[in-house]
Amino acid sequence: MIDGTTSPAQIVQQAAENYLKISNAPGCCIAVYDEKSFGTKGYVYPKGLSGVPGSSPAPFAVTTDTVFEIGSVTKVFTSTLLAVAVKAGGPSLDDPIGPYLNAGHNLSPNPIGTPVLDAIQLVQFATHTSGMPEQPGDGLTGYSQQLFADQPPSSELVAWWNQYDTPPPGCWQYSNIGFVTLGFAVTQMYGNDPGHNYNLILAEYVTGPLGMKQTGAVLDSSWKIAQGCIGHWSKSTEPPYSIVFDRNTPTGGTAFDLKSTGDDMLKFLAAQIAAPKGPLGAQIALTQQNQGTFPVCGEKTSVTMGLAWQITSDAQGHAVFTKNGATSQGGFEAIVIVVPELQCGVAVLSNQYFNASGVHPAGIAPGSTALKIISQLHPGFELTEPLAEHESFD
């Protein structure tokens, strides 16, 4: 129960407790930057365990520096690297991707792509309007592994690029493979070991300047790493046909994406709110710039995009930037919501993945928790449209 005597810290603590109660996730960590409530220091609250009780390695209590997978939130970091290159006088957002996939032929001994692929603009990849599908199909899996391991693309991915023949359709289609393609192009925009340098340039140009010391795709042996799981529910066969939690299954695996902590995500939130001032202010502001509103392919809805950010608004007209993420292979969920005009941002990290199309309780997504925190810290805050459901990024 929230009343006038509830402190901002208690609001966050109760939100974490309620999230674990609804989801049965082993643990979570919530980072909140809200100048009205916490000044410029922010607040990070860990809750629960790093893994499923009884699993191996033995779970420990989640801390503010416990490392979680962030899934498709990774896309915002890729788009920030693109923005850094643009602001440095490198590419233009309207440039076709072909020259960057083929720069110096570092990604393959032969030219890469097709006339159709090579003509697609960088901004179209960054706004999910390239025409690429969510996943490539044709048995091509694990295609992002090499990008985040600082290796050239696999021969299978290059072969897929070399037969690509779908031009941009003029509508929005969420695409994991599109962003991985963009990621490889971005690695060619930097002089440091071009073509297989994602973690290197991320640390030098983004996470380093922001002071994010435990964010990257390559795990450090000194990090305290959470273990993910898959949540399972079933629908009761007896009235009122309630949804019943069955179990959490440890995945025992890891996804090919970035990992981060509550402490680091607080710094990320602060930078998003400070833009265009602060570290990387101009570059972050470019990622938040409205690139257009696009009809969703095959639907009657539309999506407004920055670079990787989905942009919506609240009932008072404030711009709201959101990006969620999930990894079925690793077993994690994450979301970041930023409202610069309220000087407020929330990131929720969880070590449980759920199938959004399967049976699950209402309000289980971390986005529900993040929105509740913002609405309690800023009464009257309410989105004008629902959050997008998560897309698994493995």
Side-chain angles (χ1 to χ4, degrees):
M1 177 70 69
I2 302 297
D3 56 37
T5 64
T6 304
S7 71
Q10 289 173 321
I11 287 174
V12 179
Q13 293 164 11
Q14 290 180 20
E17 183 176 343
N18 291 340
Y19 169 72
L20 295 186
K21 184 176 180 180
I22 293 171
S23 68
N24 286 276
C28 68
C29 191
I30 300 177
V32 179
Y33 185 93
D34 186 71
E35 292 195 9
K36 184 188 78 169
S37 303
F38 303 109
T40 58
K41 292 183 178 180
Y43 183 66
V44 182
Y45 184 68
K47 182 75 174 176
L49 295 175
S50 65
V52 176
S55 62
S56 180
F60 54 86
V62 174
T63 59
T64 63
D65 62 348
T66 297
V67 176
F68 292 76
E69 294 180 6
I70 62 173
S72 284
V73 177
T74 298
K75 292 178 173 64
V76 178
F77 289 86
T78 298
S79 72
T80 304
L81 281 171
L82 173 61
V84 169
V86 170
K87 287 297 184 179
S92 165
L93 290 178
D94 294 331
D95 283 353
I97 200 170
Y100 300 100
L101 286 180
N102 286 285
H105 301 300
N106 287 318
L107 301 183
S108 168
N110 301 305
I112 285 176
T114 64
V116 170
L117 171 59
D118 292 350
I120 300 174
Q121 296 174 326
L122 298 171
V123 69
Q124 291 175 312
F125 286 96
T127 56
H128 297 293
T129 56
S130 69
M132 283 193 172
E134 180 181 345
Q135 303 289 358
D138 300 324
L140 179 55
T141 60
Y143 53 85
S144 64
Q145 179 177 2
Q146 288 76 24
L147 175 64
F148 297 116
D150 295 334
Q151 298 171 357
S154 67
S155 58
E156 291 83 4
L157 178 54
V158 171
W160 190 83
W161 284 336
N162 287 344
Q163 60 183 4
Y164 188 78
D165 62 357
T166 303
C171 57
W172 186 91
Q173 166 63 56
Y174 192 88
S175 178
N176 285 322
I177 182 65
F179 246 90
V180 169
T181 301
L182 176 63
F184 275 111
V186 167
T187 66
Q188 294 281 50
M189 299 173 186
Y190 292 80
N192 301 343
D193 198 19
H196 34 82
N197 57 6
Y198 188 95
N199 288 281
L200 177 66
I201 60 176
L202 183 75
E204 182 171 350
Y205 295 100
V206 178
T207 58
L210 296 183
M212 301 173 69
K213 298 179 180 180
Q214 290 184 283
T215 298
V218 178
L219 297 172
D220 188 287
S221 60
S222 66
W223 292 357
K224 296 183 289 187
I225 302 167
Q227 304 297 315
C229 68
I230 308 295
H232 303 274
W233 292 263
S234 60
K235 193 169 185 179
S236 172
T237 58
E238 301 292 334
Y241 307 108
S242 56
I243 295 174
V244 180
F245 175 72
D246 290 335
R247 68 194 185 282
N248 283 320
T249 305
T251 63
T254 185
F256 310 122
D257 63 353
L258 295 183
K259 287 78 177 169
S260 192
T261 68
D263 286 338
D264 273 9
M265 292 309 296
L266 178 63
K267 296 172 182 176
F268 180 76
L269 292 170
Q272 299 299 319
I273 291 166
K277 299 178 180 179
L280 298 180
Q283 295 84 349
I284 289 172
L286 179 56
T287 69
Q288 296 176 356
Q289 184 175 309
N290 187 328
Q291 299 296 329
T293 299
F294 309 97
V296 177
C297 298
E299 299 183 17
K300 296 181 179 180
T301 57
S302 61
V303 177
T304 301
M305 291 295 302
L307 302 181
W309 289 111
Q310 291 181 227
I311 306 174
T312 183
S313 61
D314 71 354
Q316 301 173 58
H318 301 124
V320 181
F321 300 88
T322 71
K323 188 69 197 84
N324 56 12
T327 68
S328 58
Q329 185 169 327
F332 290 83
E333 297 270 345
I335 191 156
V336 178
I337 301 177
V338 179
V339 193
E341 290 172 273
L342 296 180
Q343 296 184 314
C344 181
V346 177
V348 180
L349 309 178
S350 168
N351 58 348
Q352 181 199 66
Y353 169 85
F354 72 95
N355 181 354
S357 63
V359 174
H360 61 270
I364 185 178
S368 298
T369 297
L371 290 175
K372 186 172 293 185
I373 291 171
I374 298 173
S375 66
Q376 290 172 343
L377 295 177
H378 295 272
F381 173 84
E382 183 180 359
L383 288 187
T384 55
E385 57 187 65
L387 284 175
E389 291 190 346
H390 69 225
E391 304 283 354
S392 177
F393 181 52
D394 289 317

